[in-house]
């Protein structure tokens, strides 16, 4: 059995000037996850939201849950770590 690790970093959900839209990020992630086996682990390491804004986290939650559900990724196989842009003073 093979275990796959998919590492995602700096999606900056909610960034009005982002390189990729939420839909494009979702499409790319779903395509990658559909190429993996059932033993995939997903690591989301940092800068989830644009400037730590609540809207970005809501967008991330909605988009990522949709992708993970579509690819049948179990929640206990997702590891999330905040980045420097996720910490707001």
């Amino acid at each position: 059995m093979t275990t796959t690790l998919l590492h995602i970093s700096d999606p900056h959900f909610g960034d009005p000037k982002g390189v990729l839209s939420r839909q494009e990020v979702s499409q790319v992630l779903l395509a990658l996850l559909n190429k993996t086996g059932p033993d995939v682990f997903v690591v989301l390491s940092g800068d989830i939201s644009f400037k730590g804004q609540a809207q970005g986290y809501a967008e991330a939650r909605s988009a990522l849950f949709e992708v993970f559900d579509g690819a049948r990724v179990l929640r206990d196989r997702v590891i999330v770590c905040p980045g420097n842009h996720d910490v707001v003073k």
Side-chain angles (χ1 to χ4, degrees), residues 17-32:
K17 296 180 182 180
V19 176
L20 298 176
S21 69
R22 170 193 166 169
Q23 184 178 14
E24 290 169 322
V25 171
S26 295
Q27 289 173 346
V28 169
L29 291 177
L30 189 56
L32 288 170

Side-chain angles (χ1 to χ4, degrees), residues 20-60:
L20 298 176
S21 69
R22 170 193 166 169
Q23 184 178 14
E24 290 169 322
V25 171
S26 295
Q27 289 173 346
V28 169
L29 291 177
L30 189 56
L32 288 170
L33 287 167
N34 283 333
K35 292 181 180 182
T36 68
D39 294 319
V40 64
F41 283 90
V42 178
V43 177
L44 177 53
S45 65
D47 299 348
I48 299 158
S49 174
F50 177 66
K51 296 187 178 179
Q53 296 176 352
Q55 174 193 350
Y57 293 114
E59 187 177 315

